[in-house]
Amino acid sequence: MFGFLQNIPTVNLQALVAMGLFGLSLLISRMVVNIQSGKWPGGPMFVLYLRILLGFTFAASIGLGLYSFAGVDILFNK
């Protein structure tokens, strides 16, 4: 099913994962804004959980992006 991923260089695959994590962090931040404004249900503990998750996904996307620009493979360590 994902045989096309075998032909992509690992550093480019790492950059794709970084972009996916950045997109996930944008989605989580939109969720936090909607919960805090009252459009969606949720309490302050759930917002805290989402903010912590947002921090980890954003940091991971920055880290993977910087390493992929440097050409260092940290996902598969080949």
Side-chain angles (χ1 to χ4, degrees), residues 30-43 47:
R30 176 51 69 186
M31 289 172 62
V32 168
V33 167
N34 284 337
I35 291 172
Q36 283 184 337
S37 68
K39 291 180 184 176
W40 292 359
V47 170

Side-chain angles (χ1 to χ4, degrees), residues 18 21-22 25 52-66:
L21 284 171
F22 184 72
S25 66
I52 292 171
L53 185 65
L54 173 64
F56 279 113
T57 56
F58 191 62
S61 69
I62 289 173
L64 283 174
L66 288 176

Side-chain angles (χ1 to χ4, degrees), residues 1-19 73 75-76 78:
M1 180 175 173
F2 294 107
F4 66 92
L5 292 177
Q6 294 176 351
N7 298 329
I8 298 175
T10 56
V11 176
N12 291 353
L13 185 62
Q14 184 172 306
L16 283 174
V17 171
M19 287 190 293
D73 181 22
L75 286 181
F76 302 110
K78 289 184 180 179

